[in-house]
């Protein structure tokens, strides 16, 4: 299993490290993996949602995978050389989280902003790894993986 690092100016080194440890085991590769997390505002996420998905609305999280068809695959750096960064990590993609929406959802669900931010980040990283929730079977698989990661961080549902 490969380490998945989270590159973000919005997380402390401790938060990023804890999230990375919790993500261990989600993917296999011959090099470390990295995903970018951007925490943004309503206007930016709405614009991204409109431009990329044709939906003119604020959303909580958007994912921008760098590779297609990788779900469950052993990722080889020589097969995805164009996605290697300067540290020889394989770039999975970017995850954009709307801070205001995450705070609202945390309040609505009765848990911390930190839990909601991490949950949305995990959700986005799973999309970058090729997971989806279009069918009930896919949704159940993805939800189980999300909950497993959150439990590793001791951030279970309230």
């Amino acid at each position: 299993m490969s380490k998945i690092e989270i590159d973000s100016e919005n997380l402390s080194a401790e938060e990023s490290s804890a999230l990375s440890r919790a993500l261990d085991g989600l993917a296999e590769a011959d090099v470390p993996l990295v995903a970018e997390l951007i925490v943004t505002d309503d206007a930016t996420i709405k614009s991204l949602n409109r431009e990329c998905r044709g939906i003119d609305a604020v959303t909580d999280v958007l994912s921008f995978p760098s590779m297609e068809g990788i779900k469950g695959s052993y990722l080889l750096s020589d097969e995805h050389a164009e996605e290697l960064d300067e540290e020889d990590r394989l770039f999975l993609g970017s995850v954009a989280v709307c801070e205001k929406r995450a705070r609202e959802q945390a309040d609505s669900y009765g848990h911390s902003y930190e839990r909601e931010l991490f949950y949305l980040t995990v959700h986005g990283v799973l999309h970058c790894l090729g997971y989806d929730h279009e069918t009930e079977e896919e949704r159940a698989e993805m939800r189980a993986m999300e909950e497993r990661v959150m439990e590793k961080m001791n951030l279970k549902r309230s």
Side-chain angles (χ1 to χ4, degrees), residues 1-146:
M1 298 295 171
S2 291
K3 181 177 183 178
I4 300 175
E5 299 173 29
I6 301 297
D7 186 12
S8 179
E9 294 178 3
N10 304 102
L11 298 178
S12 70
E14 294 80 22
E15 290 171 325
S16 186
S17 180
L19 189 50
S20 180
R21 282 191 307 275
L23 292 166
D24 279 351
L26 290 184
E28 293 185 86
D30 61 351
V31 294
L33 305 168
V34 63
E36 174 186 42
L37 169 64
I38 301 162
V39 178
T40 191
D41 60 19
D42 287 10
T44 302
I45 203 117
K46 182 177 181 178
S47 175
L48 288 169
N49 204 17
R50 182 178 56 250
E51 292 169 20
C52 300
R53 299 178 62 223
I55 299 172
D56 191 24
V58 174
T59 190
D60 53 1
V61 61
L62 291 171
S63 300
F64 303 94
S66 65
M67 298 172 279
E68 298 290 325
I70 65 168
K71 179 182 173 186
S73 299
Y74 187 89
L75 302 173
L76 296 170
S77 56
D78 61 347
E79 291 179 6
H80 301 283
E82 68 281 357
E83 297 304 331
L84 287 173
D85 70 6
E86 62 281 350
E87 297 176 41
D88 287 327
R89 302 175 302 180
L90 197 55
F91 182 64
L92 294 173
S94 298
V95 176
V97 172
C98 178
E99 180 180 13
K100 182 179 178 189
R101 183 60 66 92
R103 289 189 185 283
E104 290 169 351
Q105 289 175 180
D107 288 343
S108 174
Y109 298 141
H111 55 242
S112 70
Y113 167 71
E114 175 189 55
R115 189 218 184 273
E116 190 66 16
L117 176 63
F118 288 164
Y119 174 79
L120 293 172
T121 302
V122 170
H123 183 86
V125 168
L126 285 169
H127 277 304
C128 289
L129 288 168
Y131 292 88
D132 212 337
H133 45 83
E134 294 297 315
T135 67
E136 191 55 44
E137 184 177 305
E138 289 173 336
R139 187 177 352 275
E141 176 185 38
M142 196 166 173
R143 181 57 48 88
M145 295 176 82
E146 291 164 349

